Amino acid sequence: MDNKEVVLLKKALERQKKARKQAEGILEEKSKELYDVTHHLRESNQKLENLLSEKTSELDGIFINIIDPYVVMDLQFNVINMNRSAKEFLGFDHVDKLVNLSHFIHPDFLAYTQESMSSMLEVGSLKNYRAKIILDGGVEKWIQINASLVYDKNQRPIAAQGIIRDISQETEVKRLVAEQKAQLDIIVENSPLGIVLSVDGEILKTNNTFVEMLGYKENELKHVSFKSISQPEKIENEIHPIDEMCAGRLDKFTEVWKFTKKDGTTIMAKTMMSAIHDDHRKTDYQVAIIEDISHQLEADRKLKASENRLSALISNLQTGVLLEDENGKVALTNQMFCNIFDIKKTPKNLIGVDCEESEEENKKLFKNPDNFVTRIEEILAKKETVLADELEMIDGRVLARDFIPIDNDGDYKGHLWAYHDITISKNYRKNLEAQREKYGSIIANMNLGLVEVDNEDIIQMVNQSFCNMSGYESDYLIGKVASKVVKFKDGGIIEKKNQNRLGGKSESYEVEVIDKNDNVKHWLISGAPRYDDTGSVIGSIGIHLDITDQKELELQKETLVKDLENSNQGLQEYAHIVSHDLKSPLRSISALATWLSDDYKDVLDEGGRQNLDLMQEKVASMDKLIHGILEYSTANSSALDDSKVNLNEVISDIGETIYIPEHVKLVIPKPLPTIMADRIKVHQVFQNIIGNAVVHIEREEGLVEVLFKDDGEFWQFTISDNGVGIPEEYHKKIFDIFQSIGNNERSTGIGLSIVKKIVDRYQGSVWVDSVVGEGTQFHFTIKKHHN
């Protein structure tokens, strides 16, 4: 309902009110006359009562002609009399039937009616009773009743009379106005836009959206000046638009303003303000609708930047791009498009050019010019996406053309053409096909079994070698689940490995397989995931090698190694037995030589005594040789008892244990580390090298130094001396058993070979650097974290 209809309804309501006032005046005047007559009749005799009845009838005749419905009822709501208007309004005639007015009262107003009736019985009248009634046919009406009691000669109430006014239209108008106001309040309070009512630029009322927009409370914004919390983005003539509006020179405006929030931050808002004037053109209010467009402005900025980047991207694409609008005109193109078709104009100058004319000009560049134009017409007629449409040019180039229609919610906005020069890639694909055929032939004839499966383990391809390995034909294998056709002793291994393929993992592993003929075979499988062009795993490829023969050789090797270990164990035991058996006769010979020397020293001449001494030396040498052989045989067999070994203490013990000539010094230039090793084995290594060094120094001042350095994964040790040196041809031989330099009878040729065996057990190396006449450096390494 618009404002005009509301005005008309208000005028009609005013007219009804005036008419009712006139009727009330007449009623009050007649009521007073009736009251006077009644009072007069009380003082008269019974005879005058008839006169009263006549007067009452006359008065009823007057009420009968009242415009508004008039009704007289007894105190039980039964109708006694009513005028024509009442009959028309209520839809019945009391003469025809007895009617009780309580039946017309709406159920919601029964209690209210009883209260009103009780009040009238007390005070004698009823003013502005308003209620809803239900007439015949279910029609609901709103009524207003002004009524008074009718008394008998004893002043007892015997009836009630009243005028009924139909206020349905008035009530409906009020309801609609109230409803519109409520709806307007809901709209204002729930509007996503800030709404502000101001007087002379000062805020009078706001909605919640504006309050939340600026972070204030509603009371904090009352009487705050717009100018104190906002600033237009641009001010013309240095006059604030609110000042212009308050001065009556501006009725409305829409601008972007910067608003300052309570926390000091700012927002950009679209502000639409309108002035509300009275009849004298005086500004009473200003209504502002404020929309926060900070995010929109930021989005516009990003969109603009994105458009610029997109434009730059299209301009620099290696694809020829042509954007054609719905009218067949060039909307956008790039330099690559111009280069492909040898167009001399710039992309900017091509905008607006008719594409059909351009097609006619460019068709001469293609091997089949007419087909070039015809194909474009076919594509445009269907308006469906076309990709990789190939075109051959007369200069040998091959183009791939894409067509993409542009549709905006069913509204056709043009289309995009994209041209790619695929000459190189097409030639590459041809070469690739040739290579594929070549390698396909190689795969088909290689000795390794090849199987290709999808993600469900279904065989896609096999070569002949795999068929030979499994015993099945390729036609039987293709399409089958690989893990169900080929029987594996460990049934779950293939499923686990397939999961690894899906995860992109490649690996090699051994399996035991039962072929078609129930023969157990050993296969070495190298599996790898298979990818599509997008990098997604679509299956796996397995290369199979039959290692059954090698496996049998390994088993034979294990048997031989075990036999060899048993043999070595036997040899070690034999060495212990032999050393014991050999040492026993030596001790006997040594005892006999000692007895001969003691018993016959006075009889034997010098030569005899020298022979007995020589015999004792040979016995000692033989004992030393037997001991060295025993140590050599156990150097790499006994268990290593690793613990923390302080090498400084080891060298000190060696210096006190072995014989070191007086002219030789054993020196440690800087403290040696503490290492994890078998103390006895390490002691043996250092003692054998140091003992070998001190006996081969012929200088007046001999020097043996023990050095080390941390080589990361290894400890490297060096034992340096200034002795006679070792000729180069012996640098490797000296680490072999029974190899010694020269004819030194004191050397067994076993000590350095024991050193090499022990160093090997610590995963290290041993070597020698030496210059004859200058000295020797023995080097060896020990792994820090050895097995």
Side-chain angles (χ1 to χ4, degrees), residues 511-547:
V511 294
E512 286 187 76
V513 180
I514 301 173
D515 67 5
K516 183 180 180 181
N517 300 317
D518 292 332
N519 297 318
V520 177
K521 292 186 177 182
H522 296 271
W523 288 359
L524 175 63
I525 302 177
S526 179
R530 185 165 63 94
Y531 301 93
D532 60 11
D533 294 339
T534 64
S536 300
V537 176
I538 59 173
S540 61
I541 298 175
I543 297 176
H544 303 69
L545 175 64
D546 190 341
I547 57 171

Side-chain angles (χ1 to χ4, degrees), residues 244-287:
E244 290 279 278
M245 183 170 284
C246 292
R249 294 189 293 271
L250 186 63
D251 285 335
K252 61 176 62 178
F253 63 84
T254 300
E255 294 180 350
V256 175
W257 284 11
K258 181 190 289 184
F259 282 85
T260 303
K261 298 173 68 174
K262 185 177 180 179
D263 61 7
T265 59
T266 60
I267 60 170
M268 300 302 295
K270 182 180 179 181
T271 305
M272 298 166 282
M273 187 172 284
S274 301
I276 300 176
H277 300 281
D278 60 11
D279 295 338
H280 302 288
R281 193 66 181 174
K282 180 182 178 183
T283 302
D284 289 333
Y285 299 101
Q286 300 88 39
V287 177

Side-chain angles (χ1 to χ4, degrees), residues 318-320 335-344 362-368 372 389-401 419-427 429-430:
Q318 296 303 307
T319 299
Q335 187 59 47
M336 181 54 68
F337 179 82
C338 297
N339 295 342
I340 289 174
F341 292 99
D342 196 24
I343 298 172
K344 303 303 180 185
N362 294 327
K363 70 179 184 180
K364 62 180 182 295
L365 301 174
F366 295 90
K367 281 188 176 181
N368 192 337
F372 170 71
D389 193 30
E390 292 191 6
L391 306 167
E392 292 187 43
M393 305 185 76
I394 58 175
D395 58 5
R397 287 181 295 162
V398 179
L399 302 181
R401 175 174 58 191
Y419 291 87
H420 318 267
D421 189 339
I422 60 169
T423 308
I424 296 175
S425 61
K426 192 170 181 66
N427 293 334
R429 284 199 298 271
K430 289 181 180 178

